[in-house]
Amino acid sequence: MLRLIKRNYFLLTSIFLIFYFIFNLVSGERGLFSYFKKKELLSDLKKEETLLIKKIEDIDHKNSLLSTNLDLDYVEILIRERFLFGKKDETIYLIKKDEK
């Protein structure tokens, strides 16, 4: 038995190393399966990042609309669109009260 191992020492060592490297290539922390999982996770994170950036831009835009000088025409348009108040092609008259 020992003679057989001694004769084929290089072959056995080579086979062991080949199996070791193939196993670590496919599995393991830096393996092929782990690579695909991390790649999928990265694409999901990029999608989530773009959604969050869009939300931040929307909130920034809404925040920029808040001020002490309100655009009453824009507010009226928003009320009509959101609450379906009014009809198309109607004439709107604004009556301002005199402040004393």
Side-chain angles (χ1 to χ4, degrees):
M1 181 79 171
L2 286 173
R3 280 187 197 159
L4 183 63
I5 292 174
K6 286 182 181 180
R7 268 193 246 152
N8 296 324
Y9 179 75
F10 180 74
L11 180 65
L12 291 173
T13 307
S14 301
I15 290 173
F16 174 75
L17 288 175
I18 289 172
F19 280 134
Y20 176 77
F21 285 119
I22 289 174
F23 180 75
N24 282 326
L25 176 70
V26 175
S27 66
E29 192 174 307
R30 297 184 191 175
L32 195 61
F33 296 131
S34 179
Y35 170 74
F36 287 124
K37 285 180 187 177
K38 289 176 183 176
K39 190 174 180 181
E40 182 180 340
L41 180 65
L42 182 65
S43 66
D44 291 342
L45 287 175
K46 285 183 180 180
K47 289 177 187 176
E48 186 177 345
E49 180 186 19
T50 55
L51 287 174
L52 289 174
I53 287 173
K54 287 180 183 179
K55 284 183 181 181
I56 288 172
E57 288 173 353
D58 185 43
I59 290 173
D60 283 342
H61 177 68
K62 288 179 182 179
N63 194 21
S64 69
L65 294 175
L66 296 174
S67 69
T68 56
N69 302 327
L70 290 177
D71 185 7
L72 296 177
D73 293 330
Y74 182 68
V75 172
E76 181 182 357
I77 291 171
L78 286 177
I79 289 172
R80 289 183 180 277
E81 287 176 357
R82 300 279 170 122
F83 300 115
L84 302 174
F85 186 77
K87 298 177 183 174
K88 279 189 170 181
D89 300 329
E90 70 179 349
T91 306
I92 299 173
Y93 297 98
L94 295 176
I95 301 172
K96 291 185 178 181
K97 294 183 180 181
D98 291 334
E99 294 181 19
K100 291 183 180 183

